[in-house]
Amino acid sequence: GENVGLHLPTLSVQEGDNSIINCAYSNSASDYFIWYKQESGKGPQFIIDIRSNMDKRQGQRVTVLLNKTVKHLSLQIAATQPGDSAVYFCAENIEGSNYKLTFGKGTLLTVNP
Amino acid sequence: NAGVTQTPKFRVLKTGQSMTLLCAQDMNHEYMYWYRQDPGMGLRLIHYSVGEGTTAKGEVPDGYNVSRLKKQNFLLGLESAAPSQTSVYFCASSYLGQGNSPLHFGNGTRLTVT
């Protein structure tokens, strides 16, 4: 949305480069993690998810890495394209709960042609 | 397959007015949610529903009411709008609960209360 990008961490990359977006989560009891992409004026779009019994999961051009020791999640985008420009945010869900999804504030990714 | 559809896309209200935001999903999902998104903050859950005829409070329910009379629709009501309710509202649905399946979002309703 038009105000979502204000005061967000930003990452600027060149087209074709790989991007890495990081997320620190807060609760060691979280067991399900999701990455969303939000383009200006649109709703969040699901990218990829991972459970706490995994440390890596791959999708099409995207990889999510989970480090439970330091409570860190990252999203890697290969061969970044201008269409990847958006706000990316992670979400964590506390184990045993179906209604306690916590969203991060997001990172603004800008891809320069 | 339209996914999650929200109406209206934009609305301006005066303080004290009421309105209803409409959400429809065509994925046969049991779970539906209303979130608000404000600058500098993550999405916050207002109310949710685990199935037709059910509703429950989320993190920030005050000033809002909801209804889920049909499985595919989830309505969010503001009985007496306040400037603090100026926000972007997103409806979402999921096949399973939030701990087991990702949410599918609509494109939002941008509400301004003057």
Side-chain angles (χ1 to χ4, degrees), chain A residues 4-24:
Chain A
V4 172
L6 291 177
H7 311 301
L8 291 176
T10 59
L11 175 65
S12 183
V13 301
Q14 291 298 122
E15 182 177 359
D17 287 352
N18 297 332
S19 302
I20 299 176
I21 301 170
N22 296 305
C23 179

Side-chain angles (χ1 to χ4, degrees), chain B residues 63-100:
Chain B
Y64 306 96
N65 57 77
V66 287
S67 64
R68 183 101 181 265
L69 298 179
K70 294 183 179 180
K71 184 177 183 178
Q72 63 268 33
N73 297 332
F74 196 29
L75 279 57
L76 178 71
L78 285 74
E79 291 184 347
S80 180
S84 61
Q85 294 178 304
T86 293
S87 188
V88 182
Y89 291 87
F90 288 101
C91 176
S93 70
S94 63
Y95 176 63
L96 299 173
Q98 293 181 337
N100 292 288

